[in-house]
Amino acid sequence: MMTSEKKPKAVVVGGSIAGLCTAHMLTAAGWEVVLLETSFGPTIGSTTGADLGLDPLSCSIIQSWLRQLDAFHKATFPLTIDQNQVTDGETKISWTLTKDENFNFRAAHWGDPPTLLHAAPPPYIFLWGVIYSSHFRLPMTNLQLP
């Protein structure tokens, strides 16, 4: 186990699903992490309307971080078939290129997994409402951005 003097430090910029996952993994690995986010609190839903598909490994990792075991399944739905089709623009003929009946992914609205994941890392790592600048000293840490 790492001592507090030798703990590696990281600044994660952005609290979307990638930033949250990065912050969680680094925290779990013993790093001192600060996550900077411009919004003033956890977002609910998505303004983009985008969806995302999560493979079985990603699903199991995200589920392991959540305090409520059924929360992930309630926020996602099965994406059981992957079918890739192509259509010839001139003849309008379509072909199925691949079809996987055992796809076993889960689908989610873009904003739902981050909403769940905001509760996964320790709450003290978040700095909400941060406007990034080129010279910024982080409060409560010895980390300094160049």
Side-chain angles (χ1 to χ4, degrees):
M1 177 137 187
M2 291 184 236
T3 64
S4 60
E5 294 89 59
K6 296 188 184 214
K7 223 180 210 192
K9 298 176 182 183
V11 175
V12 177
V13 178
S16 67
I17 191 165
L20 288 165
C21 290
T22 301
H24 192 286
M25 293 301 290
L26 289 171
T27 302
W31 286 57
E32 181 182 332
V33 176
V34 173
L35 189 143
L36 307 177
E37 173 55 39
T38 57
S39 64
F40 290 98
T43 57
I44 297 172
S46 171
T47 57
T48 65
D51 291 323
L52 95 120
L54 299 163
D55 66 271
L57 178 59
S58 298
C59 291
S60 65
I61 291 170
I62 291 171
Q63 278 183 289
S64 73
W65 299 338
L66 301 175
R67 293 183 186 111
Q68 296 174 328
L69 297 178
D70 63 339
F72 184 75
H73 275 281
K74 287 180 181 178
T76 61
F77 57 92
L79 185 58
T80 55
I81 295 176
D82 178 35
Q83 184 169 317
N84 295 307
Q85 285 189 295
V86 65
T87 302
D88 184 311
E90 290 179 23
T91 64
K92 306 298 183 207
I93 297 173
S94 294
W95 296 274
T96 299
L97 298 178
T98 60
K99 186 171 182 176
D100 184 354
E101 299 288 343
N102 299 312
F103 195 52
N104 210 21
F105 277 42
R106 296 212 46 101
H109 194 266
W110 180 256
D112 292 339
T115 301
L116 292 172
L117 289 172
H118 280 113
Y124 60 83
I125 73 167
F126 292 98
L127 291 179
W128 297 106
V130 174
I131 304 300
Y132 312 115
S133 70
S134 60
H135 299 286
F136 179 73
R137 183 146 180 93
L138 300 173
M140 303 180 307
T141 71
N142 293 326
L143 296 174
Q144 186 171 352
L145 297 177

